[in-house]
Amino acid sequence: MNVFDKFFKKFSYKFDKGYPDMNNEQDVLLLESIVNETSGFILELGKTQIHNNAKEKLVNSPLGKKAGLTPMSKTATYRIGNPNKKSQEEFIEIIKSVYPNAEVEVLAKGVGDNKSGTFSLYKFKTDEGDVSFYLAGGGNEGEKYEQDFIKNAQTLAGQPNSELPKNLQTLYKELGIDNTKLTKDNITFDGATNTKRDLSFEGPKDVGEIVTDMTIIYNNEKYYISLKNTKGSGVLSGKNVPFIVGKPNNNDPQTVVYDASKRNDIPNISTLYNMFGIDPEKVAQGLTNYITGEGEEDSWSNVDIEEKEFQKLLASSFGYGYYYVKEIKGGDVKVLPILTAEDAMGAAGKIISSQIKYAGPKTKITAVKVKTDSPLFGPSEYLVASRNTQKGIVPLALRITKLK
């Protein structure tokens, strides 16, 4: 999917025909307005595509395959997995095999543009533009599960369903696929090329092409499949909370305060705090107690959250237009079709209970536990955590994780 495909897919709903009619004056004006407002979005899409193209060439090059390089996850645009611990010289050799005229600049961790505290950054030019890649240690457990699952499916394409491992038998039974009619080329790994969907307070959208890890073409129909291993999966990784600040500064806070003047600096964060009933004054006081070691530790207590808004937010995190395939015990999978907006709302389910616990002398995390009951997932639990993710106190980030 190129930059313009992604652009029009994101904004097609704004046009009556699903695309701008250049003979329609209103469509032309609307298109100009969108382009002016989203120039950064377009540039970022182009940058992402250039990196994905270069990554694909490196990983799939003869030397890249021999080295065992991996594309990692769909959100790891600037990372290439290096599970076999190939050296700097070997990676540069791989780059040169694909881009013979490239001058590769290597930045050690923490130097210049390299913001990583662990991996070196490799910068070079391609025929499409400048790229920068971290040579990381390889994919996490979820990424490895995706890659192993799809590699297995490709290797076994053409075999009778009865001879397949349990997880593939279950998947193909649910999808009505006869594996003897599949070839390796009908099964593609898309986990490293697609992008994570944006959450919306307006509800779910069709995201099949965006979230797919594995795409199967069978009888001229595309099946988009999102693979999940047994670990908890992230729902939201939000921006920093601007209105919880350290004094005299965030780097070395002596106290933490709620700055009401910054409440709407990032409207979505403020909306989420309201949605989950999080009191910023209590968050700040709890963090101050953590710094000083004073005060009483908080305990879990009931909290009223905005149920309908939370359902729409969760439903947007799922989206629709694909099959959600979750690893279960015994080497099998559970296949859940999320094909319509109604399916996505059903996946979100209804809230059974919600509790909150604020930071205090022994913990710097303010957390909300939300339990739901979903027709698709059954009893589920989500954790909403407002915490610092860089081993400090502030700034805080907001994370939502599906625990089960």
Side-chain angles (χ1 to χ4, degrees), residues 149-188 214-219 223 225:
F149 189 102
I150 296 166
K151 183 178 180 180
N152 207 22
Q154 292 173 330
T155 301
L156 297 173
Q159 299 295 318
N161 286 41
S162 60
E163 297 181 10
L164 299 175
K166 189 182 296 184
N167 54 8
L168 287 175
Q169 285 192 39
T170 299
L171 175 61
Y172 292 159
K173 180 181 179 180
E174 294 292 334
L175 271 56
I177 288 177
D178 180 355
N179 190 56
T180 63
K181 297 180 180 179
L182 290 179
T183 68
K184 179 180 178 181
D185 294 336
N186 296 135
I187 304 167
T188 58
M214 173 183 182
T215 302
I216 300 176
I217 300 176
Y218 180 74
N219 287 342
Y223 294 82
I225 298 165

Side-chain angles (χ1 to χ4, degrees), residues 14 93 99 109-110 119 121 127 135 139 181 195 215-216 227 233 235 259 273 277 282 304 337 343 353 356 369 385:
K14 291 180 178 285
E93 184 181 358
Y99 302 103
K109 58 184 181 182
F119 306 114
L121 180 67
D127 49 354
L135 189 62
K181 297 180 180 179
T195 56
T215 302
I216 300 176
L227 296 167
S233 58
V235 174
D259 186 345
Y273 259 58
K282 291 185 178 180
D304 291 327
D343 290 339
S353 67
I356 191 168
K369 290 191 300 188

Side-chain angles (χ1 to χ4, degrees), residues 61-359:
S61 68
L63 289 183
K65 288 182 177 179
K66 184 178 180 180
L69 299 183
T70 65
M72 302 189 72
S73 73
K74 60 175 71 68
T75 57
T77 303
Y78 305 102
R79 290 188 292 155
I80 292 178
N82 180 29
N84 295 328
K85 309 298 182 186
K86 296 301 179 181
S87 67
Q88 174 179 305
E89 291 73 19
E90 289 172 306
F91 185 52
I92 292 175
E93 184 181 358
I94 294 169
I95 295 172
K96 291 282 191 178
S97 74
V98 178
Y99 302 103
N101 298 321
E103 295 184 5
V104 184
E105 179 183 6
V106 183
L107 299 178
K109 58 184 181 182
V111 175
D113 294 336
N114 188 348
K115 305 305 180 184
S116 171
T118 307
F119 306 114
S120 295
L121 180 67
Y122 297 77
K123 301 176 65 175
F124 56 96
K125 292 182 181 292
T126 72
D127 49 354
E128 293 183 288
D130 294 348
V131 295
S132 303
F133 288 111
Y134 294 102
L135 189 62
N140 60 33
E141 289 185 41
E143 293 159 4
K144 186 177 186 301
Y145 176 74
E146 294 172 11
Q147 293 165 6
D148 289 347
F149 189 102
I150 296 166
K151 183 178 180 180
N152 207 22
Q154 292 173 330
T155 301
L156 297 173
Q159 299 295 318
N161 286 41
S162 60
E163 297 181 10
L164 299 175
K166 189 182 296 184
N167 54 8
L168 287 175
Q169 285 192 39
T170 299
L171 175 61
Y172 292 159
K173 180 181 179 180
E174 294 292 334
L175 271 56
I177 288 177
D178 180 355
N179 190 56
T180 63
K181 297 180 180 179
L182 290 179
T183 68
K184 179 180 178 181
D185 294 336
N186 296 135
I187 304 167
T188 58
F189 169 57
D190 299 306
T193 58
N194 294 321
T195 56
K196 191 174 182 179
R197 67 276 194 196
D198 294 327
L199 295 192
S200 168
F201 297 107
E202 299 175 1
K205 297 179 181 178
D206 187 343
V207 296
E209 287 186 67
I210 298 174
V211 304
T212 182
D213 299 308
M214 173 183 182
T215 302
I216 300 176
I217 300 176
Y218 180 74
N219 287 342
N220 296 317
E221 184 176 349
K222 286 186 177 180
Y223 294 82
Y224 299 120
I225 298 165
S226 177
L227 296 167
K228 302 295 178 185
N229 70 339
T230 54
K231 302 296 182 182
S233 58
V235 174
L236 169 71
S237 180
K239 296 181 179 179
N240 287 344
V241 179
F243 45 81
I244 306 294
V245 297
K247 296 293 183 180
N249 56 63
N250 281 350
N251 292 328
D252 185 24
Q254 304 304 307
T255 61
V256 177
V257 300
Y258 164 51
D259 186 345
S261 68
K262 298 181 178 180
R263 180 67 189 237
N264 294 313
D265 283 6
I266 304 178
N268 283 355
I269 296 297
S270 181
T271 299
L272 289 168
Y273 259 58
N274 290 336
M275 180 186 299
F276 295 113
I278 302 174
D279 184 338
E281 293 277 11
K282 291 185 178 180
V283 173
Q285 183 60 55
L287 290 173
T288 296
N289 290 347
Y290 179 82
I291 294 171
T292 62
E294 300 174 349
E296 295 184 1
E297 193 70 21
D298 196 21
S299 58
W300 290 103
S301 59
N302 293 334
V303 62
D304 291 327
I305 69 174
E306 298 175 359
E307 181 169 6
K308 290 185 178 179
E309 299 306 311
F310 180 61
Q311 286 177 322
K312 288 193 290 185
L313 182 72
L314 275 187
S316 78
S317 78
F318 294 119
Y320 61 89
Y322 64 99
Y323 292 86
Y324 184 100
V325 178
K326 173 78 171 180
E327 179 188 18
I328 60 177
K329 293 180 179 179
D332 206 350
V333 293
K334 185 175 183 179
V335 181
L336 302 171
I338 307 181
L339 304 177
T340 66
E342 290 73 21
D343 290 339
M345 291 298 290
K350 293 185 177 181
I351 294 175
I352 303 302
S353 67
S354 52
Q355 293 185 309
I356 191 168
K357 182 180 179 182
Y358 287 95

